[in-house]
């Protein structure tokens, strides 16, 4: 005999055999283990299609934030803000990667994801990037866009089905792990700007303007009720273009008339080419890789939308260069220096800033990073032999990073140019020779003079 049990959620009744039902209950009673109860229940607000629509917008915002912050790396003067921004570029690119993978799992083709564009989001991003200075940039990126995304992610976690859509929840939670320190840092940084004299009313007016613009496109999800769009936008009169000049804050002394620290110092601190000189140059080069943050961040903007993997790798390299800068800064302290007493080399960023990305990338990757790898083995061996623990420790990690950069650089360069390697290197040498001559860092001593690879590695370094 079976018994029909009406089911509220379905017009089809359950057909149960009472003896089987009773036997199941008895087996459950006798089963000895009381495992933790999973309290999640079926049900959520979204279909797979609606999930994909929202995640695609999240992906697009994250991708555009990574690119957009990249475009500001040259223009941010304050050391701490430049470094932190370099890190945030990767947090956003990595969020984009996670969302992209989740979208792909839910049957959105990678081609569709990578080619997704939204003109309204673009307007918002370009207006946000039209900040007049770094405090306005932080206001827009973190307290308008970042804050709105964080809220949207939390809501999505609450609203989607916790069982059927658990992977989306996990992805969003992992993204939020980066958001929490990022937004908290941004709030403190903006407070520091205000305490240091930046007009709070100006920043607040800018925040309000961008918040209204975001509301006019239905918020980050596009699903909110739309508010009227602000009457005028900065980009209406002037489209956004990235800066080309590397900026430093007032604690730094800078030079760009030479690539050589000893020449810049006037009086060398150590015997040139001695171990003391080489280790000191290495540490200074690391701190001055603040210019590598600028290089790779800028490339991310300049080659935007050509290839997601290349963008992702550039974002990761940018973060690595932030670490190298921090390593250099801290190592200077360890060696007994005030990091701001050592002038900062602006030579390479001054040349690369306005340059086409393929040549700037060829310079930093094929000459600079490759050049580091050539000399770093010897430095590590010597540091170890002399028990120079700080330099041995940091150069060991930096070698691993730079080798990785050289490897990733191959794909990035392919995305940037169709030129043959020989031609690319030749043109790069010509352009940098020209630039170094114009800066007075070298004197042309013959017609059609072009720096050799070795000279370029030495003069620009990385
Ligand atoms: Fe580096
Ligand atoms: Fe590097």
């Amino acid at each position: 005999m079976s018994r029909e049990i009406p089911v509220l959620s379905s017009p089809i009744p359950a057909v149960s055999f009472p003896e089987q039902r009773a036997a199941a209950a008895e087996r459950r009673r006798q089963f000895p283990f009381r495992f933790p109860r999973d309290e999640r229940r079926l049900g959520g607000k979204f279909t797979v299609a609606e999930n994909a629509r929202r995640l695609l917008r999240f992906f697009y915002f994250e991708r555009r934030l990574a690119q957009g912050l990249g475009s500001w790396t040259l223009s941010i003067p304050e050391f701490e803000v430049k470094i932190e921004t370099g890190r945030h570029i990767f947090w956003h690119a990595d969020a984009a990667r996670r969302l992209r993978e989740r979208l792909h799992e839910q049957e959105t083709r990678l081609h569709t994801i990578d080619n997704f564009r939204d003109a309204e989001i673009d307007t918002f991003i370009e207006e946000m990037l039209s900040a007049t200075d770094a405090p306005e940039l932080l206001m827009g990126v973190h307290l308008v866009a970042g804050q709105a995304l964080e809220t949207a992610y939390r809501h999505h976690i609450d609203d989607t089905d916790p069982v059927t859509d658990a992977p989306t929840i996990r992805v969003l939670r992992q993204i939020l792990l980066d958001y929490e320190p990022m937004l908290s840092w941004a709030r403190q940084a903006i407070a520091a700007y205000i305490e240091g004299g930046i007009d709070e009313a100006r920043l607040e007016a800018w925040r309000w303007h961008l918040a209204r613009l975001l509301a006019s496109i239905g918020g980050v999800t596009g699903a909110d009720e739309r508010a009227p769009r602000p009457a005028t936008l900065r980009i209406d009169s002037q489209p956004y273009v990235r800066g080309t000049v590397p900026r430093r804050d007032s604690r730094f002394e800078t030079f760009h008339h030479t690539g050589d620290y000893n020449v810049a110092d006037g009086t060398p601190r150590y015997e040139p080419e001695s171990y003391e000189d080489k280790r000191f140059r290495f540490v200074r080069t690391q701190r001055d890789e603040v210019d590598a943050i600028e290089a790779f961040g800028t490339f991310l903007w300049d080659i935007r939308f050509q290839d997601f993997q290349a963008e992702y790798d550039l974002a990761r390299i940018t973060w690595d260069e932030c670490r190298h800068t921090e390593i250099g800064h801290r190592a200077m302290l360890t060696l007994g220096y005030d990091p701001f007493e050592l002038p900062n080399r602006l030579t390479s960023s001054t040349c690369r800033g306005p340059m086409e990305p393929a040549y700037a990338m060829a310079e930093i990757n094929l000459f600079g990073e490759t050049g580091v790898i050539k000399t770093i083995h010897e430095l590590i061996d010597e540091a170890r032999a002399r028990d120079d623990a700080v330099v041995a420790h940091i150069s060991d990690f930096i070698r691993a990073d730079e080798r990785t950069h050289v490897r990733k650089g191959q794909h990035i360069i392919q995305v940037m140019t169709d030129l043959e390697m020989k031609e690319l290197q030749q043109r790069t040498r010509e352009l940098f020779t020209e630039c170094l001559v114009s800066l007075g860092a070298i004197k042309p001593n013959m017609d059609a003079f072009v720096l050799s690879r070795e000279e370029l590695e030495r003069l620009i370094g990385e």
Side-chain angles (χ1 to χ4, degrees):
M1 267 303 278
S2 66
R3 197 169 68 202
E4 287 201 354
I5 303 172
V7 181
L8 288 174
S9 65
S10 159
I12 305 169
V15 181
S16 229
F17 297 107
E19 59 289 358
Q20 283 183 354
R21 187 94 168 195
E26 180 55 19
R27 287 197 304 277
R28 272 153 50 101
R29 199 183 58 75
Q30 286 186 14
F31 187 68
F33 310 116
R34 297 292 173 264
F35 291 115
R37 271 182 80 95
D38 185 344
E39 299 291 349
R40 293 174 304 156
R41 297 282 184 266
L42 280 181
K45 284 188 181 171
F46 310 129
T47 59
V48 168
E50 176 59 11
N51 224 3
R53 192 194 65 76
R54 286 172 185 251
L55 261 51
L56 201 50
R57 282 180 72 95
F58 296 161
F59 163 79
Y60 194 66
F61 265 103
E62 296 289 0
R63 185 182 197 182
R64 296 247 54 195
L65 285 172
Q67 297 168 345
L69 285 175
S71 78
W72 260 84
T73 48
L74 283 160
S75 306
I76 296 170
E78 292 78 23
F79 185 62
E80 291 82 351
V81 181
K82 204 188 278 275
I83 288 184
E84 209 59 50
T85 298
R87 219 189 315 275
H88 297 160
I89 288 171
F90 183 63
W91 290 179
H92 288 299
D94 205 37
R97 176 192 62 83
R98 290 178 195 280
L99 290 160
R100 183 174 181 263
E101 280 171 14
R102 181 63 188 140
L103 278 160
H104 191 45
E105 287 168 4
Q106 294 200 308
E107 300 185 88
T108 310
R109 290 165 58 222
L110 289 177
H111 182 263
T112 307
I113 304 168
D114 292 352
N115 287 299
F116 178 77
R117 303 285 185 276
D118 185 286
E120 290 181 331
I121 297 176
D122 289 342
T123 299
F124 171 80
I125 294 286
E126 307 245 331
E127 181 72 357
M128 179 194 81
L129 294 176
S130 304
T132 52
D133 55 10
E136 281 192 1
L137 179 75
L138 295 190
M139 207 55 161
V141 168
H142 299 291
L143 294 203
V144 181
Q147 188 67 66
L149 283 164
E150 193 201 36
T151 305
Y153 294 161
R154 291 194 189 289
H155 287 174
H156 199 100
I157 287 171
D158 289 344
D159 286 343
T160 197
D161 187 312
V163 181
T164 57
D165 197 24
T168 298
I169 293 177
R170 183 163 186 274
V171 161
L172 294 174
R173 283 208 180 119
Q174 287 176 329
I175 294 172
L176 288 173
L177 285 180
D178 288 335
Y179 264 67
E180 197 188 321
M182 178 162 63
L183 295 187
S184 146
W185 176 87
R187 278 187 281 271
Q188 294 174 59
I190 289 166
Y193 274 128
I194 293 166
E195 278 162 35
I198 299 290
D199 182 12
E200 185 173 7
R202 171 168 72 84
L203 297 186
E204 192 50 27
W206 179 240
R207 188 192 64 78
W208 182 253
H209 168 74
L210 290 175
R212 301 243 318 149
L213 181 58
L214 186 58
S216 77
I217 66 169
V220 291
T221 62
D224 296 349
E225 201 181 321
R226 291 179 175 234
R229 179 180 146 134
T232 46
L233 302 184
R234 283 183 185 167
I235 51 169
D236 290 341
S237 49
Q238 180 133 38
Y240 173 69
V241 265
R242 73 161 172 88
T244 54
V245 177
R247 307 245 177 247
R248 297 290 177 273
D249 68 55
S250 56
R251 291 166 297 179
F252 283 101
E253 288 216 308
T254 61
F255 65 90
H256 58 244
H257 64 290
T258 174
D260 186 334
Y261 289 114
N262 284 332
V263 174
D265 286 352
T267 313
R269 289 173 161 85
Y270 304 102
E271 175 65 27
E273 294 310 310
S274 62
Y275 173 71
E276 289 77 6
D277 181 60
K278 281 189 272 184
R279 81 195 276 261
F280 193 52
R281 183 167 66 217
F282 176 75
V283 169
R284 291 182 75 171
T285 303
Q286 294 311 310
R287 195 280 305 271
D288 290 353
E289 285 206 348
V290 70
D291 70 8
I293 304 171
E294 294 166 335
F296 294 108
T298 302
F299 301 154
L300 175 48
W301 173 259
D302 286 353
I303 67 149
R304 63 194 181 279
F305 294 128
Q306 286 178 38
D307 179 272
F308 183 77
Q309 187 61 44
E311 285 178 40
Y312 182 75
D313 288 343
L314 282 169
R316 175 52 204 256
I317 296 174
T318 307
W319 175 34
D320 292 347
E321 304 300 359
C322 292
R323 283 188 295 111
H324 296 173
T325 307
E326 294 177 299
I327 291 167
H329 185 88
R330 285 165 167 75
M332 283 175 172
L333 291 166
T334 314
L335 302 186
Y337 290 93
D338 175 339
F340 297 107
E341 80 180 270
L342 301 168
N344 170 236
R345 180 170 64 186
L346 273 183
T347 323
S348 13
S349 248
T350 306
C351 287
R352 282 191 298 251
M355 207 174 271
E356 268 183 57
Y359 304 116
M361 175 67 186
E363 185 279 319
I364 195 169
N365 185 249
L366 298 176
F367 298 111
E369 291 177 318
T370 307
V372 175
I373 293 171
K374 281 188 200 162
T375 54
I376 201 167
H377 308 300
E378 205 185 308
L379 182 77
I380 294 174
D381 289 346
E382 202 163 351
R384 283 176 179 161
R386 288 166 178 260
D387 202 20
D388 187 354
V390 182
V391 173
H393 170 66
I394 63 173
S395 50
D396 187 25
F397 278 85
I398 287 165
R399 175 170 60 183
D401 290 341
E402 297 301 0
R403 280 173 167 164
T404 310
H405 295 179
V406 169
R407 188 160 37 80
K408 287 178 178 171
Q410 294 173 358
H411 172 68
I412 297 168
I413 288 175
Q414 276 176 9
V415 170
M416 287 175 165
T417 180
D418 294 330
L419 287 180
E420 289 299 321
M421 204 40 96
K422 234 179 121 183
E423 212 182 327
L424 175 66
Q425 296 197 8
Q426 174 64 24
R427 185 75 192 119
T428 301
R429 281 169 46 210
E430 288 165 8
L431 285 169
F432 277 85
T433 303
E434 226 171 84
C435 181
L436 290 170
V437 168
S438 77
L439 295 176
I442 48 167
K443 286 180 189 52
N445 49 11
M446 62 189 99
D447 290 341
F449 156 73
V450 176
L451 284 173
S452 71
R453 156 181 277 279
E454 288 69 27
E455 287 167 318
L456 200 60
E457 286 171 6
R458 187 176 57 79
L459 280 165
I460 295 232
E462 231 13 278

